[in-house]
Amino acid sequence: MPQLTNNDQEIFPVSASLNDAGDITIGGCSIAQLASEFGTPLYIYDEDTVRHMCRQFTSGFTDAYERTHIEYSTKAFANPALAKIIAEEGLHMDVVTGGELIFAKAAGFPAERLNFHGNNKGREELSEALDYGIGRITLDSFYEIGLLNEVAREKGIRQKVLLRVSPSVDPHTHLLTTTGVLDSKFGFSIETGAAAEAVQQALSADNLEVVGLHFHLGSPIFELEPYSQAIDYVLKFAAEMRDVHGLQLTEFNPGGGFAVGYVGEELPPPITAYANEISVAVRSGCDRYGLEEPQLTVEPGRAIVARAGVAVYQVGGIKRIPNVRVYVSVDGGMGDNIRPALYSSEYTVRRAHEPYAEPTEKVTVVGKYCESGDYIAKDVELPVLDSGDLLCTPTSGAYSVPMASNYNMTTRPAIVMVKDGDARLIRRRETYEDLLATSLV
Ligand SMILES: *Cc1c(COP(=O)(O)O)cnc(C)c1O
């Protein structure tokens, strides 16, 4: 039986294979079969890969630092079926809005294992989170310190909180996904003294219990060193705050941002390498500054779900401009995956049937939206295509569907979860009725 290439095996779901007919299969289901049953564009999520990644993180980190919680970042892909799997695997989860909280609640996700992030949480959202009994809230501004203290007082609650600090460390990723530098909307800057002020204010707020500090550098981070650099800086700050204000660092959260391979040539360090870098930095920092080793939490979003998801599109028109370019139009695009347009993100594209067939040609795969910037992949080598062929893009499981829009009044795609030859719908395709439902004449 033919097989996926080694490079493709790294970026496709763990269960992906080729069947005797030459079709790519995921979770024992052929892409062609799924497309004919559920239509295109279609997002296929592989349950085995989600569980595999959860276990890789759990074992990778707890082997290196026993008291580690793995906190899945819901925004990478929010879905109740996914949240159930995350809960079963024993992970924690973070949310950044009331909407993400609703998804966690719909899955019955244990409130104690939830952390509420975001740089501008509203009064209503905080109130909903407290009513749900949320485990942690990570505060991001002086406004939030005051607001949460007030909401908690009204409810007679003393809420456990972390403070998000900004360590002024550049993780060398895309500018739009860099979050821990001085010029950022996120977090209290240590460099300017804002973080010290925040620690003092939060410690003196009667209805807040400060349990620790958080930072998040950005995403995706292919280098290890920014983590240890930032961890050392923040632990040093924590020790100063202990001496000056009596801060007890019982919990420490150096965020997420762990990279994944989108194209075969550019693979990230293994999870164990991130785990070793972070655990060594935490231990040696605690040692250096005389801190007790805290409970550690890391927050992978992308790295849990990216590889689990594969997007499937059908080819429509093909435009050949001699000596210039071949444009292959598909039935999705920036409406279901805006990452190429927004971040110039790269994807691997494969034909779903006989993906490695000859002859090939270099093509640019574009979407159906009215923007010249609407593309999926530029200058990719594919077998010569016909209208009606199916294309798939692996590692589409993170930040595609959650950023999907109804631009050009398109309906957002269906999503299926596959396992052992079964496919179940976990989000139905939107309909024209859905589009009209919120508009009034
Ligand atoms: C987005 C985000 C994450 C997850 O980032 P990934 O790149 O998906 O791992 C973690 N923590 C915070 C605070 C975030 O905003």
Side-chain angles (χ1 to χ4, degrees):
M1 197 159 84
Q3 273 312 316
L4 293 177
T5 62
N6 287 343
N7 269 351
D8 280 1
Q9 270 171 9
E10 296 284 332
I11 56 176
F12 269 88
V14 294
S15 70
S17 185
L18 277 178
N19 66 16
D20 290 336
D23 290 317
I24 299 175
T25 66
I26 300 165
C29 305
S30 91
I31 288 180
Q33 189 80 51
L34 294 173
S36 81
E37 188 176 346
F38 297 100
T40 54
L42 178 69
Y43 277 74
I44 303 168
Y45 277 79
D46 177 45
E47 182 172 333
D48 287 351
T49 305
V50 174
R51 292 190 188 276
H52 173 76
M53 296 316 300
C54 289
R55 289 169 198 183
Q56 292 267 304
F57 268 95
T58 302
S59 66
F61 272 88
T62 55
D63 285 354
Y65 192 99
E66 202 183 327
R67 286 202 301 138
T68 310
H69 290 150
I70 309 299
E71 184 178 288
Y72 168 67
S73 218
T74 302
K75 72 182 193 285
F77 174 47
N79 179 278
L82 176 80
K84 262 195 166 136
I85 296 173
I86 298 288
E88 283 169 17
E89 293 295 328
L91 271 62
H92 290 223
M93 206 155 76
D94 73 37
V95 298
V96 294
T97 61
E100 288 185 355
L101 181 63
I102 285 293
F103 271 62
K105 279 169 83 169
F109 201 91
E112 174 53 31
R113 280 198 257 154
L114 287 177
N115 180 11
F116 200 162
H117 271 305
N119 69 302
N120 192 20
K121 302 178 263 300
R123 178 184 288 271
E124 278 291 300
E125 290 175 317
L126 290 172
S127 173
E128 288 156 11
L130 294 187
D131 290 344
Y132 193 51
I134 198 156
R136 303 286 179 276
I137 297 182
T138 301
L139 297 172
D140 205 298
S141 68
F142 293 107
Y143 171 72
E144 281 190 354
I145 293 176
L147 184 61
L148 180 63
N149 191 43
E150 197 179 300
V151 176
R153 187 189 314 125
E154 284 162 14
K155 295 181 189 291
I157 290 172
R158 189 148 184 268
Q159 177 62 38
K160 289 195 164 96
V161 300
L162 289 96
L163 297 175
R164 176 168 183 166
V165 298
S166 166
S168 305
V169 168
D170 185 351
H172 308 125
T173 186
H174 196 286
L175 184 63
L176 296 183
T177 52
T178 294
T179 57
V181 294
L182 175 61
D183 186 0
S184 166
K185 72 171 180 173
F186 295 106
F188 298 100
S189 169
I190 295 178
E191 192 180 329
T192 63
E197 174 72 29
V199 168
Q200 189 193 1
Q201 277 193 24
L203 282 174
S204 58
D206 288 340
N207 293 78
L208 305 182
E209 179 187 346
V210 183
V211 296
L213 299 176
H214 166 273
F215 71 83
H216 174 65
L217 296 175
S219 177
I221 305 174
F222 281 82
E223 298 169 25
L224 299 172
E225 209 250 327
Y227 286 100
S228 42
Q229 197 188 335
I231 286 168
D232 183 77
Y233 186 58
V234 175
L235 290 179
K236 182 163 176 260
F237 169 74
E240 280 165 26
M241 291 302 102
R242 175 201 53 201
D243 298 343
V244 181
H245 299 300
L247 172 74
Q248 290 303 314
L249 188 80
T250 50
E251 299 182 15
F252 181 53
N253 183 335
F258 312 109
V260 299
Y262 286 96
V263 287
E265 313 80 73
E266 226 183 297
L267 295 177
I271 292 162
T272 49
Y274 289 106
N276 288 334
E277 183 85 9
I278 287 172
S279 62
V280 167
V282 171
R283 279 214 189 84
S284 60
C286 287
D287 201 35
R288 191 169 309 124
Y289 305 116
L291 294 162
E292 274 187 41
E293 286 179 12
Q295 165 72 52
L296 182 67
T297 300
V298 291
E299 302 172 323
R302 181 191 315 271
I304 299 283
V305 288
R307 189 179 169 195
V310 177
V312 183
Y313 303 103
Q314 187 170 44
V315 173
I318 299 173
K319 172 177 175 177
R320 291 193 164 80
I321 312 173
N323 305 317
V324 177
R325 200 179 293 283
V326 180
Y327 284 100
V328 172
S329 292
V330 296
D331 53 1
M334 68 189 287
D336 61 87
N337 185 359
I338 201 171
R339 295 187 66 256
L342 191 58
Y343 310 128
S344 306
S345 303
E346 290 185 88
Y347 282 92
T348 300
V349 184
R350 293 284 174 250
R351 193 172 70 179
H353 177 65
E354 295 185 345
Y356 312 118
E358 306 278 351
T360 64
E361 71 180 335
K362 191 179 271 187
V363 303
T364 288
V365 179
V366 297
K368 63 177 288 166
Y369 296 83
C370 295
E371 296 284 329
S372 289
D374 166 33
Y375 73 98
I376 298 290
K378 282 182 181 158
D379 297 330
V380 287
E381 200 75 34
L382 284 168
V384 174
L385 295 169
D386 267 329
S387 303
D389 282 351
L390 295 173
L391 294 180
C392 64
T393 55
T395 36
S396 291
Y399 302 110
S400 308
V401 173
M403 288 192 179
S405 76
N406 294 117
Y407 181 47
N408 288 154
M409 288 295 118
T410 51
T411 54
R412 281 176 292 187
I415 309 177
V416 293
M417 182 80 79
V418 293
K419 183 174 168 56
D420 299 336
D422 286 330
R424 64 195 169 103
L425 205 56
I426 60 168
R427 182 183 159 107
R428 67 161 171 82
R429 184 177 307 282
E430 285 178 344
T431 62
Y432 289 154
E433 288 70 37
D434 291 325
L435 294 181
L436 288 170
T438 50
S439 296
L440 307 175
V441 182

